[in-house]
Amino acid sequence: MTEPMKPLKLAVVGHTNVGKTSLLRTLTRDVGFGEVSHRPSTTRHVEGARLSVDGEALLELYDTPGLEDAIALLDYLERLERPGERLDGPARLARFLEGSEARQRFEQEAKVLRQLLASDAGLYVIDAREPVLAKYRDELEVLASCGKPLLPVLNFVSSAQHREPDWREALARLGLHALVRFDSVAPPEDGERRLYESLALLLENARGQLERLIADQQAQRLARQHSAARLIAELLIDCAACRRSVTSDAELERQAISELRNAVRQREQRCVEALLKLYAFRPQDAAASDLPLLDGRWGDDLFNPATLKQLGVQVGGGIAAGAAAGAGVDLLVGGLTLGAAALVGAIAGGALQTARGYGNRLMGKLKGQRELTVDDSVLRLLALRQRQLLQALNQRGHAALDSIRIDTPQDKGWREGKLPETLNKARAYPQWSSLNAHPRLSQAERQEQIEQLAAQL
Ligand SMILES: Nc1nc2c(ncn2[C@@H]2O[C@H](COP(=O)(O)OP(=O)(O)O)[C@@H](O)[C@H]2O)c(=O)[nH]1
Ligand SMILES: [Mg+2]
């Protein structure tokens, strides 16, 4: 057996307020890590987080307080040398850390330098919107004297005013040629992978663990996307299969529509919350605006070709086509004979459970009941909104503070096109909807349809 590897230790360092704590939040996918603030010097001490794969710790990240007065510190370090003495960087730092100023005037800086000395490398975080000022160059010089590899991370690159070329040039002049572009609030899609790959170039011994981390993160990303598509598919099946039986009466119908609207609205919110949780965000990180256009539809899905097929009824092309087109009234008249025949056929075929449901719904029709279902356009709308949310989640860093708004897409495209076949099918299976009484959600066929629909999303 091979010895478990020691986790790679990284110190996250840089000027105050450049996004060090934010970078840690995003890399650890932990919205609660540390304290993020636009005020300077919120992080007063060193705080660590660990990334593990299969229970094995691969990486330790240490957040540090910001460096505030590097110019004065560099001056001080230079004056630590006695006449005729030539100390190298680490030796000079060692002398500084033993001295009293490390506990007084430069207490913050000493914490940072101690952490970097105890780490394998440092991530030097830069606010790429800032001009390259002398204080940053001095900061880098002080940090470089620890003798540890430093990887500059250009943060805030999603901002329009970033000065990436200036920083690239300045860093090159200091001998730092590798750097990573990042944004903790809106990270580039391959940002993490590039960061770890660049580290692997600086730390050849840690390549194995960094590659494992990269592979694991890729696998997690795919698994998340698959689970997300399933959550959305389940929402759509739930809504497509949802049906309410209502006595024909204006007031009762109005009430039923309002209840259906609430049920769908809440169901959508449940999906939003499940997606947020899956992506490790908080419930307040997204809010769905109200669903427009939710009127429900008065359907004759009883004569949906899928219902008939389910009952083993062979219908002529004419009836099936008429049903698909929603020619409800004619079929209602013919419903009795068709229904009776269907019942006999279904019982003979052993589909008693289905036949009972079918029979009740048919009786309902004859007693003046109407069936309310969720309109196609609402299903389209739900699909669009949830996909939009998913896209936002895929692009969101765990340092983001503002919340995502889920609005209705403006384009009209969603009204058109064919609905996925699975949704039409679901209309004929009320037991597939958690919004109906007596749902049977673990039915294999329902699961299959969810899987199929998820693949289409
Ligand atoms: N837009 C944007 N804002 C960021 C980014 N990184 C940090 N911030 C914001 O910058 C401020 C300082 O961040 P913080 O992580 O506390 O900086 P620290 O002092 O270096 O730890 C906070 O308001 C963050 O929300 C980024 O990459 N993009
Ligand atoms: Mg901080």
Side-chain angles (χ1 to χ4, degrees):
M1 234 184 81
T2 51
E3 280 278 299
M5 280 181 283
K6 271 210 319 216
L8 182 67
K9 282 188 170 184
L10 296 180
V12 178
V13 298
H15 204 74
T16 184
N17 227 17
V18 292
K20 297 178 295 299
T21 305
S22 296
L23 177 68
L24 261 139
R25 283 190 174 180
T26 298
L27 292 180
T28 55
R29 303 184 64 80
D30 179 356
V31 292
F33 182 89
E35 222 183 296
V36 163
S37 160
H38 58 278
R39 289 190 309 273
S41 313
T42 342
T43 309
R44 307 297 307 187
H45 51 267
V46 173
E47 200 176 335
R50 184 176 266 184
L51 293 179
S52 303
V53 173
D54 298 332
E56 190 180 341
L58 294 184
L59 188 65
E60 282 174 9
L61 292 154
Y62 292 93
D63 195 9
T64 63
L67 292 168
E68 275 162 44
D69 200 358
I71 297 182
L73 177 57
L74 190 60
D75 268 353
Y76 179 78
L77 288 175
E78 277 161 0
R79 279 184 281 111
L80 277 176
E81 276 171 9
R82 293 165 197 138
E85 206 178 32
R86 277 230 167 265
L87 296 178
D88 70 0
R92 225 166 45 171
L93 277 189
R95 187 173 293 171
F96 157 64
L97 291 172
E98 281 160 16
S100 62
E101 289 296 59
R103 272 171 273 116
Q104 289 158 29
R105 189 170 149 211
F106 297 115
E107 190 195 1
Q108 292 291 320
E109 283 77 5
K111 283 182 192 166
V112 181
L113 294 168
R114 282 201 188 93
Q115 188 58 48
L116 184 55
L117 285 168
S119 302
D120 297 299
L123 297 178
Y124 179 70
V125 184
I126 295 165
D127 179 346
R129 301 168 306 179
E130 281 281 292
V132 187
L133 302 174
K135 63 180 178 184
Y136 300 124
R137 286 196 293 265
D138 284 0
E139 216 165 82
L140 274 161
E141 192 172 332
V142 173
L143 292 168
S145 68
C146 287
K148 299 284 176 166
L150 277 183
L151 179 63
V153 177
L154 274 188
N155 201 20
F156 285 93
V157 293
S158 295
S159 150
Q161 316 100 325
H162 72 74
R163 303 169 192 252
E164 182 180 342
D166 297 353
W167 276 103
R168 276 190 186 272
E169 194 197 323
L171 291 166
R173 289 177 74 114
L174 291 165
L176 293 163
H177 299 278
L179 67 84
V180 182
R181 311 173 75 249
F182 207 83
D183 192 290
S184 309
V185 168
E189 202 191 318
D190 57 353
E192 271 169 84
R193 183 173 56 77
R194 280 172 177 266
L195 193 151
Y196 295 133
E197 277 171 357
S198 303
L199 272 176
L201 293 176
L202 296 178
L203 299 160
E204 189 50 44
N205 287 341
R207 172 170 292 277
Q209 69 255 39
L210 289 165
E211 280 176 352
R212 263 184 75 193
L213 200 59
I214 293 170
D216 178 69
Q217 295 203 334
Q218 174 66 8
Q220 303 250 10
R221 189 193 325 276
L222 290 178
R224 256 195 314 273
Q225 276 169 4
H226 181 235
S227 304
R230 277 192 58 103
L231 286 171
I232 299 175
E234 201 158 359
L235 163 72
L236 296 176
I237 298 260
D238 265 355
C239 292
C242 171
R243 58 171 73 249
R244 301 282 151 97
S245 191
V246 193
T247 308
S248 296
D249 169 276
E251 178 51 29
L252 291 177
E253 285 170 10
R254 205 191 49 71
Q255 213 176 333
I257 289 179
S258 150
E259 278 167 17
L260 182 73
R261 174 178 303 176
N262 279 338
V264 171
R265 179 75 189 75
Q266 280 168 18
R267 183 62 188 80
E268 188 196 24
Q269 186 57 33
R270 255 169 47 214
C271 183
V272 169
E273 280 162 21
L275 285 172
L276 287 168
K277 190 167 171 222
L278 178 66
Y279 277 75
F281 290 108
R282 290 160 302 195
Q284 66 268 32
D285 283 338
S289 62
D290 243 344
L291 265 175
L293 292 176
L294 186 58
D295 292 330
R297 65 170 196 180
W298 298 100
D300 279 294
D301 289 321
L302 203 47
F303 302 102
N304 178 322
T307 313
L308 299 174
K309 197 170 150 230
Q310 193 186 353
L311 289 161
V313 179
Q314 294 295 325
V315 287
I319 296 182
V329 183
D330 285 348
L331 285 163
L332 187 59
V333 178
L336 185 61
T337 43
L338 177 62
L343 280 177
V344 173
I347 291 163
L352 194 57
Q353 185 71 26
T354 322
R356 257 195 218 123
Y358 183 77
N360 287 343
R361 281 158 58 200
L362 195 64
M363 289 311 290
K365 262 195 189 289
L366 297 174
K367 284 192 260 165
Q369 295 272 36
R370 301 185 74 194
E371 279 194 328
L372 180 63
T373 56
V374 178
D375 197 79
D376 277 3
S377 61
V378 172
L379 296 180
R380 292 176 202 279
L381 192 55
L382 289 169
L384 277 171
R385 280 157 62 107
Q386 295 308 304
R387 282 176 48 170
Q388 203 180 31
L389 169 62
L390 186 54
Q391 199 179 359
L393 292 178
N394 275 316
Q395 291 167 359
R396 182 178 171 91
H398 287 73
L401 297 175
D402 57 334
S403 84
I404 304 170
R405 273 197 61 80
I406 308 160
D407 285 319
T408 302
Q410 287 307 303
D411 73 291
K412 297 273 178 266
W414 59 269
R415 286 172 199 264
E416 289 130 38
K418 220 170 148 277
L419 271 189
E421 198 37 48
T422 36
L423 292 181
N424 285 327
K425 187 167 181 184
R427 296 235 184 246
Y429 290 80
Q431 70 271 31
W432 286 358
S433 175
S434 70
L435 302 176
N436 292 337
H438 316 300
R440 295 173 56 197
L441 303 181
S442 51
Q443 265 186 358
E445 206 180 351
R446 176 180 188 266
Q447 294 301 325
E448 233 169 72
Q449 299 296 318
I450 289 175
E451 203 54 57
Q452 203 174 317
L453 184 56
Q456 278 172 284
L457 289 165

